Amino acid sequence: MVRLFYIAMVILCMTQFVNAKTLRDDDVKIVLEEMGLEMSLISKTFIIKLQQYEERLFTTHQMLRSVNSVDEKLHWLLQKEDLEKEIDILEARYLSDISKIRYLKGLQIIKILYEKTLSLDHHFSTVSTLNEINKISNPNQYEEFREVKELLQTKKEKKAGFDLSTILGNNIYTSVVHSFVSLFTNENTSKVEKQGQIKDVECILDFTLRMHQDLNTIYFETVFLQKSNETIMEELEKLFNDYTQPIHYKTALKKCRENDDWGAVRNNLNEYLDNLNTTIASGNKASKVRSMQIDLQFPIDRLLQFITQYNAFIDQGEKFYEKFGIMLNSYENEQQCANEIPTEYQTLKNNISLSIEKFNTAYKPIEINGSKLKQLLYGINEYE
């Protein structure tokens, strides 16, 4: 009866969790909710059958105490032994059914996480490119500044003037300093012309000099996040290999996705479970049954470990993008220079804002730390 109490408590926890209003409507949560419902249904069926066996076993114990003849006692002892074997087989098949549900739902989670990491990879590569960052952070990329430089070049004094090399000419700091030195030392340009030329490029220079470092930081840290995401993808592909190894499925995750080969994975699992159930039915290979069950349980542990790694990466990415948003909003002369600031700057700000929202929704960490979620992922094994 203690066994029945524990199983009833598991079902109660599952039902309460599935009905909880705190569930967010995202893919992984839906998978876990479905898993809870399916496990609950199987557990209820199992309890009914187990209760029937327990009642028969109780009757058998009563008869053993009440009969006196050797033949009758032998009859009820054999009956007791048969019932205990039937209960063991029932429990083993129940665990097999629970393992199948958790394994398939774990496979769905892997599939969802792989789609998320692929989406993140695309996201990181499109948020900003080096060309875009270089275009808005380097004054040499602005036509107005290039025109001033060309004008100064045509009016420079041969004795006092000097030219920069190509490398230094493309460097924003040496290029700006050289342009200002040329402007203020050039006696061929009037004071009014100098003021006009400064006025034409003051917002460009102010924006690029203030934001150059921040924009480059955003670019390089985005590249860092993209490389980290590639590592996550590699870990997920390795997890899939480990996950499908017990059922002898040997196709890599990338190929499985490209060929939509998920049905083959399920077929391999069904063959594995058929073999497991045949072994269970034999009744004399308990160690092999336990070993086969562990082989299905271990990948769930690996999946949990990966989810922890994925959550840490998403948390890191969200913090990075929040920092990016602060950096981009730090330009204090945005209103005064609104007409001169490149549209790519505002586009980048919008992309960063959308990225923060995506990290809070589409890429949100999976909450697996609560005891109820662990109960779902580990079935009733925590109570054994």
Side-chain angles (χ1 to χ4, degrees), residues 5 15 20 138 143 157 171 202 227 242 272 283 316 330 341:
F5 171 77
T15 305
N138 192 332
E143 184 178 351
E157 297 182 18
N171 182 287
E202 64 177 348
K227 294 294 183 183
D242 293 342
Y272 184 90
Q316 180 191 48
S330 67
I341 292 177

Side-chain angles (χ1 to χ4, degrees), residues 126-368:
T126 57
V127 164
S128 61
T129 65
L130 181 58
N131 287 335
E132 290 172 348
I133 292 294
N134 186 55
K135 183 177 180 181
I136 64 177
S137 65
N138 192 332
N140 292 296
Q141 297 293 321
Y142 291 79
E143 184 178 351
E144 297 88 343
F145 185 67
R146 291 198 302 269
E147 288 177 352
V148 170
K149 288 177 65 176
E150 290 172 4
L151 183 61
L152 292 173
Q153 182 69 18
T154 59
K155 291 188 175 184
K156 74 175 182 179
E157 297 182 18
K158 293 183 178 180
K159 293 182 179 180
F162 64 96
D163 293 325
L164 292 175
S165 65
T166 302
I167 294 176
L168 292 178
N170 290 325
N171 182 287
I172 72 164
Y173 300 108
T174 55
S175 179
V176 169
V177 170
H178 177 264
S179 298
F180 269 94
V181 169
S182 300
L183 180 63
F184 288 110
T185 59
N186 194 331
E187 296 182 359
N188 294 328
T189 304
S190 67
K191 182 178 181 180
V192 174
E193 285 181 302
K194 291 177 181 179
Q195 290 176 337
Q197 290 169 359
I198 292 175
K199 184 69 175 177
D200 289 340
V201 296
E202 64 177 348
C203 278
I204 293 172
L205 294 177
D206 182 70
F207 172 77
T208 53
L209 290 174
R210 286 177 185 268
M211 299 301 296
H212 175 77
Q213 188 61 47
D214 286 343
L215 289 168
N216 274 277
T217 296
I218 290 172
Y219 167 73
F220 287 112
E221 291 190 351
T222 300
V223 172
F224 167 76
L225 287 173
Q226 187 173 17
K227 294 294 183 183
S228 298
N229 188 63
E230 290 173 1
T231 301
I232 290 289
M233 290 178 67
E234 291 172 1
E235 289 292 325
L236 186 53
E237 289 168 353
K238 185 177 185 301
L239 168 63
F240 181 77
N241 291 339
D242 293 342
Y243 200 88
T244 55
Q245 183 178 358
I247 62 173
H248 308 297
Y249 181 82
K250 302 186 182 302
T251 305
L253 177 56
K254 183 178 179 181
K255 287 292 183 183
C256 178
R257 176 184 178 272
E258 289 174 353
N259 299 327
D260 195 21
D261 202 33
W262 305 104
V265 181
R266 190 184 185 99
N267 290 338
N268 280 38
L269 175 62
N270 288 334
E271 290 178 8
Y272 184 90
L273 291 174
D274 287 343
N275 186 17
L276 174 59
N277 288 330
T278 300
T279 307
I280 291 172
S282 68
N284 57 1
K285 296 181 180 178
S287 60
K288 183 178 179 181
V289 169
R290 187 57 182 161
S291 176
M292 292 181 72
Q293 288 174 338
I294 289 173
D295 284 344
L296 284 186
Q297 293 167 2
F298 176 71
I300 303 295
D301 294 335
R302 286 277 291 108
L303 175 58
L304 281 173
Q305 293 170 14
F306 175 80
I307 288 174
T308 301
Q309 184 181 359
Y310 172 83
N311 285 350
F313 172 63
I314 296 300
D315 285 335
Q316 180 191 48
E318 184 179 1
K319 289 181 174 62
F320 267 83
Y321 273 84
E322 287 174 352
K323 180 178 72 173
F324 295 165
I326 293 171
M327 293 166 71
L328 288 173
N329 288 316
S330 67
Y331 181 49
E332 58 190 40
N333 293 323
E334 184 174 353
Q335 291 185 346
Q336 298 94 308
C337 295
N339 294 330
E340 284 77 21
I341 292 177
T343 57
E344 290 87 352
Y345 170 69
Q346 189 59 49
T347 300
L348 184 58
K349 286 180 66 175
N350 293 337
N351 285 340
I352 296 299
S353 179
L354 288 173
S355 298
I356 294 172
E357 183 179 343
K358 280 189 175 183
F359 273 99
N360 283 317
T361 53
Y363 312 130
K364 187 72 178 179
I366 302 166
E367 296 179 4
I368 51 102

Side-chain angles (χ1 to χ4, degrees), residues 45-59:
T45 303
F46 167 72
I47 284 178
I48 293 171
K49 291 182 179 180
L50 182 61
Q51 190 171 17
Q52 293 171 350
Y53 277 114
E54 294 281 6
E55 288 172 356
R56 291 173 60 188
L57 190 61
F58 177 77
T59 301

